[in-house]
Amino acid sequence: MTDISFSEEIYTVSRLNRDVRMLLESGFPTLWIEGEISNFVAPRSGHWYFSLKDSLAQVRCAMFRRENGRLNFTPADGMHVLAKVRVSLYEGRGDFQLLIEQIEEIGAGQLQRAFEALKKRLAAAGLFDQKHKKSLPELPESIGVITSPTGAAIRDILSVLKRRFPYARVIIYPTLVQGETAAPTIVEAIQTANRRKECDVLLLARGGGSLEDLWPFNEEKVAHAIYKSRIPIVSGVGHEIDFTIADFVADLRAPTPSVAAESVTPDVKDVFIQLKQQKQQLIRCMQNQLREIKQHLMWATKHLKQQHPRQRLQAEKRQLDFHFQRFCMAIENKLQQKKQQLKSYIAQLEALSPLGTLQRGYAIASKLPLGQIIRDAKKMKPNDKLSLRLQKGRLLCTVDEVQDA
């Protein structure tokens, strides 16, 4: 039999658990803990019970109805959260536990809810309404691109524009496309383009990524900048399955940066085919009108011969001949005007062609590696690499010295 000294104090289980609980609650301040939710249950009492775990351990948690009623979401297994807790003990079972006072989701889930909330609010404000969408130019003379100057998106866009419509001038507004400071630079780029008024259309683009990567395009300030833009904006952000707030506000949403470039440019081959068809249609129309007039004059002459004396008929015929000649001259002048107009259109397109410039002995200088056209020597510095395109072939050069004009 164990020898017990009556000077030693004997605890009951309930007393021990109560004292341990009080010791834990007084010994630890309210603190924040990060972990993953597992074994979540929500009984009819309205209280929530679950575990928070990391790769090495887990701890039981309780969040009572009064506290969880203030949340705008319901936790679920696998959710990564940050919780404000009090350390305690459940006396009835002697279980160590955390009492949750506040809980916040970390990561994509939190961003997704913020995305949906902003989308709903901006839609109610009318920023997505179709009546506010601006039409895109059929033949843009200047195309602005708002994106990172070093990303894959700019290379894809320049490749498509060069292939489809090389006559359009391309202006790049370099900006950040990821991170906390990206959204202000996107807004500034949109405002700069509108202030300079040097573009017919703007492409807002970046490659694919996670919801967090694409988040600058979900910022409210970016949405309002797109909405206020006087220049039509085409968004080409991420991949086909990615949607951002910018897509809903933009005048046109393209699934990728390459498709965005295609959506703002015609195929130059189609342009020349269309011009040729319009020329042929105009000539046929003029010829048909001329035949109708000649037929009408023939009928009128025949009618006059049947209704009037010879002298009157000759006078009327002379007058008809006079009017016929004037009309023929008018038709011929009109034809010449239309032909000159068509020639002017074709000459304008040929004058804009880089190939026409090369044939006159000029060269086109592009900065490597991106191939950006260089129009100002100040944009270059010694040892920069250049590609000079001539009428026949290219020259790869290195800048030795930069001189002002």
Side-chain angles (χ1 to χ4, degrees), residues 158-192:
L158 292 177
S159 176
V160 171
L161 295 180
K162 181 179 179 180
R163 170 175 54 84
R164 286 180 58 85
F165 200 65
Y167 307 116
R169 184 169 59 130
V170 180
I171 301 174
I172 300 175
Y173 299 92
T175 181
L176 299 175
V177 293
Q178 186 172 331
E180 295 181 358
T181 59
T185 66
I186 295 173
V187 171
E188 182 179 0
I190 295 173
Q191 294 173 345
T192 298

Side-chain angles (χ1 to χ4, degrees), residues 213-380:
D213 293 337
L214 302 180
W215 194 253
F217 298 88
N218 293 321
E219 293 279 358
E220 185 171 4
K221 59 174 66 74
V222 173
H224 283 286
I226 296 173
Y227 180 75
K228 294 176 182 178
S229 174
R230 297 181 298 276
I231 304 173
I233 295 180
V234 177
S235 68
V237 179
H239 299 304
E240 189 169 356
I241 60 173
D242 298 322
F243 280 88
T244 65
I245 295 297
D247 293 328
F248 296 105
V249 186
D251 300 292
L252 180 68
R253 183 253 176 184
T256 65
S258 295
V259 177
E262 291 181 357
S263 67
V264 299
T265 52
D267 193 319
V268 67
K269 298 177 183 178
D270 295 336
V271 173
F272 280 110
I273 292 174
Q274 186 178 8
L275 284 174
K276 184 177 180 180
Q277 291 174 345
Q278 290 178 349
K279 176 183 177 181
Q280 294 173 347
Q281 183 179 5
L282 179 61
I283 292 174
R284 286 195 300 269
C285 180
M286 293 297 185
Q287 289 173 342
N288 290 337
Q289 290 184 1
L290 187 58
R291 281 194 296 269
E292 291 177 2
I293 292 170
K294 288 181 178 180
Q295 185 68 36
H296 179 73
L297 288 173
M298 185 178 65
W299 289 340
T301 302
K302 184 177 179 180
H303 179 73
L304 287 173
K305 287 181 179 179
Q306 295 173 351
Q307 300 295 329
H308 296 277
R310 185 177 182 84
Q311 292 181 349
R312 178 71 177 276
L313 180 62
Q314 291 178 347
E316 293 291 343
K317 185 177 182 303
R318 286 193 297 271
Q319 187 174 5
L320 284 172
D321 289 342
F322 172 74
H323 288 296
F324 176 73
Q325 291 176 358
R326 290 188 59 186
F327 188 78
C328 288
M329 291 176 62
I331 292 295
E332 184 64 26
N333 289 337
K334 191 68 173 179
L335 280 171
Q336 291 299 325
Q337 291 176 5
K338 293 298 181 180
K339 289 180 179 179
Q340 288 298 325
Q341 189 175 12
L342 284 173
K343 290 181 180 179
S344 175
Y345 289 156
I346 294 174
Q348 289 178 17
L349 285 174
E350 291 179 347
L352 290 173
S353 171
L355 297 178
T357 303
L358 297 178
Q359 290 174 356
R360 294 193 294 273
Y362 291 91
I364 298 177
S366 304
K367 184 177 181 180
L368 298 177
L370 294 182
Q372 182 178 359
I373 301 300
I374 302 303
R375 300 179 176 85
D376 188 350
K378 294 180 180 178
K379 300 294 183 179
M380 303 298 295

Side-chain angles (χ1 to χ4, degrees), residues 123-136:
L127 269 69
F128 305 161
D129 289 354
Q130 193 64 34
K131 64 182 180 181
H132 298 308
K133 307 295 184 183
K134 295 175 283 296
S135 58
L136 306 182

Side-chain angles (χ1 to χ4, degrees), residues 385-404:
K385 302 297 183 181
L386 282 176
S387 171
L388 296 181
R389 182 174 178 180
L390 309 177
Q391 182 181 2
K392 294 183 179 180
R394 293 177 180 271
L395 297 177
L396 299 180
C397 308
T398 302
V399 176
D400 292 333
E401 183 180 357
V402 177
Q403 298 181 352
D404 294 336

